[in-house]
Amino acid sequence: MRAIQSLVLVVALAQIIGSIGILRVIPNRYEAEHVALVRFIESGCTAATTRTLSAGTIRTCELCDVDLVVRPNCPPEPLDVVLVLLGYASPSGNDREISRRWIEAAIDALAMPENRHVQVGIVYVRKTSTIRLDLTNDEGDVKRMSRIEYVNAGSLPGDYPCFSCGFDLAARVLRDSEHKRSVIVYIGGMIDFPLIEPDDESFYLDWVRGAAVAKRAADKLVVGCPFSTPCKSYSTRPWWREATPGFYFEGPGPGRFADALEDLIPGPLPTSIESLVVDESVPNALDYVPDSAEPPPAFTDPPTGLLRWSFTAPITSGIPITLTYRVKPRDGITMPLSTTFASGQVALTDTARLSRLVPIPSSVLTVTGPCEAIATTTPTPTNLPEPTGTPRLTATPALVPTATMTPTPAPIFLPLLLHEHCDSRRARADVVLVIDASSSMQESAVPGSALTKLDAAIAAAQAFVDQLALDSGDQVAIVSFNAMARLEHALTADRDAIRFALSEIRTERQTCIVCGVSAAADELASDRTIKSNRAVMVLLTDGRSNPRPVSEAVTEAERLKADGAVIFTIGLGNELDDAALEHIASRPEYFYRAPKAEDLTSIYRAIAVEIPCPMESYWGRR
């Protein structure tokens, strides 16, 4: 095991040394001409980009194929919608059913599966209003969280609606959105209580205050009053006038209301992509294999490693452009090193002369070293005794010898008994547990159970910590992330402190994965680390990165891995970016899928075993 650890240290040192000076900077004279036209307002068109290497490691005598896929897209302008649902209804079961029908009609009108640019959030209004769902394009989540509980207004002492509270929360849902177009949709009535509460004017004033907040936060305030009796007829004050003109609807049927919502969905942009340039920079340790690109690049510059492809209209939105080329290691590489493709970018200009630069996610290729010549041996002929003949009683006076061919040696299979044992007591680690603390982690871990996904994650993390040898040199830190990251506790060997830090994790909106990765990287670079310990990050998330793109997390993880850290990723549920989580992990098998929350404990325990005794240390994985 000592020999294995020494070899790992030598390879890691060689990788760090070899990575110095790897990245090239493309000279300014090679910049695409139209990039200078980028204005403060970026083009609404963009491109999804990926880079795939045919191998993660090669030797100096081997080649690597690089595939670039650019999917240009001019999506419609995004629309964010917050449904504000009133939790009060009349005792009539018919009115409650009408309210549910209006909510379903609103969701159907937004048609999220077809309109990927539409996101919906939900706020529930009663005495204490709550955000039931942050902005999402998942129609299933929206339908599930829109099934609200209706109570009779005034049936519980003091349980009257706080309209301004609900609209404040709707504004908060929209506050962190990067999208320009937004709508707040209120479904319910402005309930008067002349028979229950003498001071019913306070409810009206509260409604007016809340509606003002909604109209400042969103482009439109749409109001739907879904009751069998016209809302205006039983209201003593004109509360409906606070809706955006032309966007107040009432009655038992949601037809006009749903049509109005459907009309608010943005259509395709009037612009298209006029030109598109793909720049790729081959790292210093590699050379582009001439004439290997398909299609051929419009420009190459061997000294800088620049490859450039140029495309002009017609460029079809949504149709991928695939570019391939081949690289080989440069001569003279004698030690293992890792080199990073990190300068790729796509520059596009639309027909409105607006431009956008889109980076291509970085990729790492490791050159393990020179190819060793395979020694071949020529079998030594075996001296065989001269053939002998048996005399025959014939008239032939002499014997004729018969030649015998030398047999070809057959392979010999020798049984090999190998027993390897990892002594985990001799391998210590500094581990940062990075845990998703977005609002979705408050969902039930098991349908009908009070146990949340966050509860399951905390229990699994605690089981993981219990397996660490904190008394013998291991350390652990806790990082939570949502809209930003929080270091819940720095690296420590204090189990009680970690247990308390886990219990203090609180959820908020959004899932900034790169924030969590960056916070872990900062902690692993702090003076609290033990230099002889292995740096490890274990990332858990149950959703897709927002508002920052997941490509930033991939890039940050590549830097962390280049510094020698080992990264494990865990994806909980089905709403995941599997490819990104696999790229963030140090190895594809270090990405674990947890379809259900109850799978987390076994996954964390498996990782706790893998950290001190990685499988590559054993014969079968060398």
Side-chain angles (χ1 to χ4, degrees):
M1 182 59 70
R2 286 182 177 176
I4 292 171
Q5 292 174 342
S6 299
L7 177 60
V8 172
L9 290 175
V10 169
V11 172
L13 180 60
Q15 288 176 341
I16 295 172
I17 295 173
S19 298
I20 296 175
I22 291 297
L23 301 182
R24 288 190 174 107
V25 178
I26 301 174
N28 289 336
R29 66 178 182 275
Y30 296 122
E31 288 293 337
E33 293 180 2
H34 67 269
V35 172
L37 298 174
V38 175
R39 307 175 188 174
F40 290 107
I41 301 176
E42 287 188 318
S43 170
C45 299
T46 185
T49 61
T50 60
R51 182 194 293 103
T52 304
L53 306 181
S54 61
T57 60
I58 61 173
R59 297 177 296 170
T60 53
C61 62
E62 298 172 333
L63 304 178
C64 178
D65 292 329
V66 182
D67 292 339
L68 299 176
V69 177
V70 179
R71 187 183 295 272
N73 188 25
C74 292
E77 185 178 0
L79 173 67
D80 292 336
V81 180
V82 181
L83 301 180
V84 180
L85 309 179
L86 184 66
Y88 300 91
S90 68
S92 168
N94 187 41
D95 281 350
R96 298 187 183 203
E97 183 58 35
I98 292 174
S99 297
R100 293 189 181 96
R101 192 158 61 242
W102 277 58
I103 294 172
E104 292 172 358
I107 297 172
D108 291 341
L110 296 172
M112 284 169 277
E114 293 79 24
N115 299 313
R116 307 301 295 180
H117 56 299
V118 175
Q119 294 193 106
V120 178
I122 296 177
V123 171
Y124 180 50
V125 176
R126 282 181 57 184
K127 179 181 180 181
T128 302
S129 298
T130 56
I131 298 175
R132 299 205 69 185
L133 186 67
D134 286 316
L135 291 172
T136 180
N137 183 255
D138 190 322
E139 187 176 88
D141 283 349
V142 174
K143 286 185 175 180
R144 185 173 64 256
M145 300 308 293
S146 67
R147 299 188 186 105
I148 62 174
E149 175 190 4
Y150 288 106
V151 298
N152 298 333
S155 60
L156 301 174
D159 189 5
Y160 303 120
C162 177
F163 298 111
S164 60
C165 300
F167 286 123
D168 281 341
L169 291 182
R172 184 186 303 177
V173 170
L174 295 174
R175 188 172 301 153
D176 297 328
S177 172
E178 298 178 350
H179 303 155
K180 298 176 184 178
R181 300 188 65 171
S182 57
V183 178
I184 293 178
V185 180
Y186 175 79
I187 301 178
M190 200 300 291
I191 301 177
D192 290 334
F193 298 99
L195 301 179
I196 302 174
E197 192 73 24
D199 184 22
D200 58 310
E201 184 179 9
S202 62
F203 297 106
Y204 172 68
L205 297 177
D206 181 57
W207 162 265
V208 172
R209 285 194 298 269
V213 170
K215 287 185 284 188
R216 286 195 300 268
D219 298 327
K220 289 181 173 59
L221 171 60
V222 180
V223 176
C225 193
F227 298 109
S228 54
T229 303
C231 297
K232 294 180 182 179
S233 65
Y234 70 73
S235 299
T236 59
R237 290 171 177 80
W239 61 275
W240 56 86
R241 294 178 182 173
E242 302 303 319
T244 298
F247 286 91
Y248 171 77
F249 305 91
E250 63 175 28
R256 291 191 306 113
F257 167 74
D259 290 343
L261 293 183
E262 188 172 349
D263 291 341
L264 292 176
I265 300 173
L269 290 177
T271 57
S272 60
I273 298 177
E274 187 174 70
S275 64
L276 186 146
V277 174
V278 180
D279 280 347
E280 174 77 325
S281 184
V282 178
N284 252 341
L286 306 172
D287 282 326
Y288 164 65
V289 177
D291 301 325
S292 65
E294 180 60 38
F299 175 81
T300 62
D301 186 58
T304 63
L306 172 65
L307 306 175
R308 170 170 294 160
W309 291 265
S310 297
F311 302 90
T312 57
I315 298 173
T316 306
S317 180
I319 302 300
I321 299 171
T322 301
L323 313 171
T324 64
Y325 66 96
R326 184 169 290 178
V327 295
K328 64 179 181 179
R330 284 196 168 179
D331 296 334
I333 296 177
T334 59
M335 295 287 291
L337 63 86
S338 291
T339 183
T340 304
F341 296 78
S343 300
Q345 67 178 18
V346 175
L348 59 88
T349 300
D350 63 27
T351 50
R353 305 303 295 166
L354 296 178
S355 300
R356 180 185 289 268
L357 293 177
V358 181
I360 301 174
S362 61
S363 304
V364 176
L365 176 64
T366 300
V367 181
T368 57
C371 298
E372 298 179 359
I374 300 175
T376 59
T377 59
T378 303
T380 303
T382 304
N383 293 324
L384 299 175
E386 292 295 330
T388 60
T390 303
R392 297 180 180 178
L393 297 178
T394 64
T396 305
L399 296 177
V400 179
T402 303
T404 303
M405 297 181 62
T406 303
T408 302
I412 299 176
F413 298 94
L414 298 177
L416 176 65
L417 178 63
L418 177 67
H419 176 71
E420 292 181 296
H421 172 69
C422 170
D423 187 355
S424 61
R425 296 170 298 178
R426 300 171 63 182
R428 301 276 63 87
D430 289 335
V431 185
V432 180
L433 297 180
V434 183
I435 298 175
D436 189 337
S438 59
S439 302
S440 59
M441 290 292 286
Q442 286 293 353
E443 296 174 1
S444 296
V446 179
S449 170
L451 182 73
T452 66
K453 291 192 287 187
L454 181 60
D455 294 334
I458 291 173
Q462 186 58 59
F464 173 92
V465 172
D466 291 341
Q467 287 186 260
L468 297 181
L470 298 182
D471 299 331
S472 302
D474 283 346
Q475 295 189 113
V476 64
I478 305 297
V479 168
S480 65
F481 67 93
N482 32 64
M484 61 185 67
R486 174 184 174 88
L487 181 62
E488 301 286 350
H489 203 290
L491 283 167
T492 181
D494 187 338
R495 293 183 190 275
D496 292 335
I498 291 298
R499 184 178 291 107
F500 179 79
L502 287 169
S503 69
E504 286 296 296
I505 295 177
R506 296 293 180 267
T507 59
E508 292 288 347
R509 294 181 58 237
Q510 300 185 332
T511 310
C512 182
I513 295 179
V514 66
C515 300
V517 176
S518 297
D522 291 343
E523 184 60 15
L524 291 172
S526 71
D527 56 5
R528 290 179 288 273
T529 59
I530 299 175
K531 300 305 179 184
S532 59
N533 281 13
R534 192 182 197 191
V536 178
M537 182 185 82
V538 182
L539 168 70
L540 165 69
T541 183
D542 77 328
R544 299 179 184 272
S545 183
N546 73 89
R548 297 172 63 178
V550 74
S551 59
E552 294 184 12
V554 173
T555 301
E556 184 66 23
E558 295 295 349
R559 297 192 187 101
L560 187 56
K561 289 184 284 189
D563 289 338
V566 178
I567 301 179
F568 299 83
T569 56
I570 305 172
L572 174 58
N574 299 316
E575 291 299 314
L576 304 168
D577 192 331
D578 291 0
L581 292 175
E582 185 172 312
H583 278 92
I584 292 173
S586 293
R587 304 164 62 110
E589 59 266 33
Y590 283 1
F591 165 47
Y592 294 81
R593 287 293 308 271
K596 297 177 292 186
E598 53 262 39
D599 299 329
L600 291 176
T601 299
S602 61
I603 290 174
Y604 271 94
R605 285 177 175 165
I607 294 174
V609 173
E610 179 76 7
I611 289 173
C613 300
M615 291 300 295
E616 62 264 27
S617 300
Y618 295 93
W619 181 272
R621 290 281 291 273
R622 289 176 184 166

